[in-house]
């Protein structure tokens, strides 16, 4: 495949300068995707595979990608252990959320994707993309044509896994990382406080069907051995109750974060499914 043209743009964001990295294919098809990487709200960057390799893969299929360098939550001792990064300060909701909303508005005002823009993300980035899409719908535009979610985290307090998922997690203890206490702590770090009473844009999984009126068509692919898929599947059921179009799949044999491992076959399969759905947009 031909390498895309890659350019960083520094735009006026709601909380100061915001960097958006745009991947422009040699032969763009007129469709675009605003993308947010994962990292538990506290980690990740535009150079990680879940951002860069994903963007290049979509660009290979003619889709312009705007990858958002949103500000991160503090790197706590828990995340230092998880990610191997030094402790540091950071920001809290609504800053990262506001920046993903701003990035979508910036992209949609450009002429880079005249057929329309999707919004999406992986893991915590899936939360940010979902919250941004919901806010854009509530504020009546511009709204995404499609929401693209890879193994998103959408609930601060999620239900227990069913027996089948519990058995998978028990058989692979290394994959059993998103325990209830850890997930709640992750959200408390993102919110800068308790999760009770958090806005629906911060924790989209608490949305009720009435909140989701007009939500865009959505495609979600979850990892098989991943406790976070409980929250994704619950949100998909709420979308269905709201009358939204939603497609949900589980990528067999995967643990959390397979888009950050581009050498795994599941990476290409997921990109193909996402790209095929984006290319169906009118």
């Amino acid at each position: 495949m031909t390498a895309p043209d890659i350019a960083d743009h520094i735009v006026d964001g709601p909380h100061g300068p915001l960097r958006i990295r745009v991947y422009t294919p040699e032969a763009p098809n007129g469709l675009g995707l605003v993308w947010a990487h994962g990292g538990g709200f506290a980690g990740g960057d535009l150079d990680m595979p879940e951002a860069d390799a994903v963007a290049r893969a979509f660009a290979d299929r003619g889709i312009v990608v705007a990858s958002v360098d949103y500000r991160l939550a503090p790197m706590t001792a828990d995340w230092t252990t998880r990610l191997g990064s030094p402790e540091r300060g950071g920001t809290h909701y609504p800053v990262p959320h506001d920046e993903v909303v701003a990035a979508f508005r910036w992209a949609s005002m450009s002429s880079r994707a005249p057929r329309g823009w999707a919004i999406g993300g992986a893991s915590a980035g899936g939360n940010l993309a979902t919250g941004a899409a919901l806010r854009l719908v509530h504020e009546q535009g511009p709204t995404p044509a499609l929401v693209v979610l890879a193994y998103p985290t959408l609930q601060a307090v999620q239900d227990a896994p069913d027996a089948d998922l519990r058995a998978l997690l028990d058989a692979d203890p290394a994959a059993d990382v998103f325990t209830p206490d850890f997930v709640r702590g992750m959200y408390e770090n993102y919110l800068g406080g308790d999760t009770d009473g958090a806005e629906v844009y911060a924790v989209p999984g608490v949305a009720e069907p009435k909140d989701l009126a007009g939500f865009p068509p959505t495609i979600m692919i979850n990892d098989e051995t991943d406790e976070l898929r409980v929250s994704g599947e619950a949100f998909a059921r709420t979308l269905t109750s709201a009358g939204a179009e939603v497609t949900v799949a589980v990528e067999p044999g995967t643990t959390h974060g397979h888009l950050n491992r581009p050498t795994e076959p599941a990476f290409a399969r997921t990109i193909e499914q996402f790209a095929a759905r984006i290319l169906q947009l009118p």
Side-chain angles (χ1 to χ4, degrees):
M1 296 290 183
T2 304
D5 177 72
I6 303 172
D8 283 359
H9 299 262
I10 307 299
V11 305
D12 291 331
H15 303 280
L18 172 61
R19 181 168 62 146
I20 302 172
R21 181 169 294 172
V22 177
Y23 295 70
T24 303
E26 182 179 29
N29 56 30
L31 293 164
L33 171 66
V34 174
W35 182 256
H37 64 78
F41 304 107
D45 56 44
L46 295 187
D47 296 318
M48 68 189 293
E50 203 172 67
D52 183 66
V54 166
R56 290 174 184 271
F58 281 119
D60 283 346
R61 291 153 178 83
I63 299 164
V64 177
V65 179
S67 189
V68 189
D69 192 22
Y70 59 87
R71 287 168 172 79
L72 300 174
M75 183 65 68
T76 64
D78 280 345
W79 279 108
T80 293
T81 301
R82 180 69 62 89
L83 299 177
S85 300
E87 291 189 48
R88 54 155 175 75
T91 189
H92 300 289
Y93 177 85
V95 173
H97 163 80
D98 288 344
E99 292 185 326
V100 174
V101 171
F104 185 85
R105 287 176 171 152
W106 176 84
S108 66
M109 291 174 62
S110 75
S111 59
R112 294 177 176 85
R115 289 175 59 191
W117 286 88
I119 192 169
S123 194
N127 171 295
L128 295 172
T130 304
L134 186 57
R135 180 173 159 195
L136 288 161
V137 168
H138 288 173
E139 295 183 355
Q140 300 183 342
T143 55
L146 179 72
V147 178
V148 179
L149 302 176
Y151 41 86
T153 172
L154 298 169
Q155 295 175 326
V157 180
Q158 59 194 32
D159 292 336
D162 63 21
D164 290 341
L165 177 53
R166 185 70 263 165
L168 288 170
L169 293 165
D170 290 344
D172 188 359
D176 191 8
V177 293
F178 290 101
T179 62
D181 287 346
F182 183 84
V183 171
R184 182 185 285 273
M186 178 176 73
Y187 274 88
E188 288 173 345
N189 185 48
Y190 170 47
L191 295 167
D194 193 78
T195 61
D196 291 342
E199 289 189 336
V200 70
Y201 306 132
V203 190
V206 303
E208 299 178 4
K210 62 181 177 62
D211 301 318
L212 298 173
F215 197 83
T218 299
I219 180 170
M220 179 191 303
I221 298 178
N222 292 309
D223 288 308
E224 184 176 32
T225 306
D226 180 7
E227 196 161 349
L228 288 184
R229 82 170 155 98
V230 173
S231 75
E233 290 171 346
F235 182 71
R237 290 192 294 271
T238 308
L239 282 176
T240 299
S241 296
E245 175 192 332
V246 57
T247 301
V248 186
V250 173
E251 183 57 48
T254 53
T255 59
H256 187 77
H258 71 269
L259 289 186
N260 211 31
R261 302 185 293 271
T263 59
E264 294 183 5
F267 177 94
R269 289 196 298 266
T270 295
I271 294 295
E272 286 293 349
Q273 291 179 73
F274 283 158
R277 182 63 185 86
I278 293 171
L279 295 174
Q280 291 174 8
L281 294 173

